[in-house]
Each structure stands twice: as C-alpha cells, then as structure tokens.
Amino acid sequence: VDKKYQGQGFGSKLLRHFEKVVEQKGLKQMRLTVKSTNKNAILAYKRNGWIEDKFTADSLAMSKRI
C-alpha cells in the first residue's frame, strides 16, 4: 500500500480478500516473505493473524492457516 494511504485499513482489507479467495479454492494455508527490515509490514501481518515461520538476515517467512 502506498505510504500516503497506509494506516487506513487498505492492507488489511486486501489480506482479507486474498484469504477469502484462498479459502474458496480449498487451500488451508497462506505463506509470504517480507524483508526483515520492513517492521511496519511485519506488524501489519501480525495484527492480521500471521505468524513468523523462519527469520533470516534478509527476510522473514510468515504463514497463516485459513
């Protein structure tokens, strides 16, 4: 989400939409990778129920069961 629109719930709405699509397709889990320095994104994913799976110097893998 563009910085000028962050904090307005657009990212959370997008995540919920993607989760709904995944659920409709019968999938049970989503995974993503985010730069380990992107603290705002990591916090946003955590607020939306994502958990940390694997942390490296450059990235953080996260997942969410649907």
Side-chain angles (χ1 to χ4, degrees), residues 9-28:
F10 294 117
S12 293
K13 287 179 184 178
L14 285 168
L15 282 174
R16 284 192 298 275
H17 174 74
F18 293 143
E19 292 166 8
K20 184 178 178 181
V21 170
V22 166
E23 185 177 31
Q24 289 172 345
K25 293 190 177 289
L27 301 172
K28 303 293 183 201

Side-chain angles (χ1 to χ4, degrees), residues 25-36:
K25 293 190 177 289
L27 301 172
K28 303 293 183 201
Q29 187 174 28
M30 295 178 71
R31 296 178 187 259
L32 62 83
T33 303
V34 61
K35 288 184 179 183
S36 58

Side-chain angles (χ1 to χ4, degrees), residues 5-65:
Y5 296 107
Q6 290 178 0
Q8 298 180 38
F10 294 117
S12 293
K13 287 179 184 178
L14 285 168
L15 282 174
R16 284 192 298 275
H17 174 74
F18 293 143
E19 292 166 8
K20 184 178 178 181
V21 170
V22 166
E23 185 177 31
Q24 289 172 345
K25 293 190 177 289
L27 301 172
K28 303 293 183 201
Q29 187 174 28
M30 295 178 71
R31 296 178 187 259
L32 62 83
T33 303
V34 61
K35 288 184 179 183
S36 58
T37 57
N38 194 343
K39 303 299 182 194
N40 288 338
I42 293 169
L43 289 174
Y45 289 125
K46 286 182 177 182
R47 279 194 305 269
N48 283 280
W50 291 74
I51 59 169
E52 296 180 12
D53 284 337
K54 183 179 178 185
F55 184 79
T56 68
D58 299 311
S59 66
L60 172 63
M62 301 182 81
S63 65
K64 182 172 181 181
R65 292 219 174 264

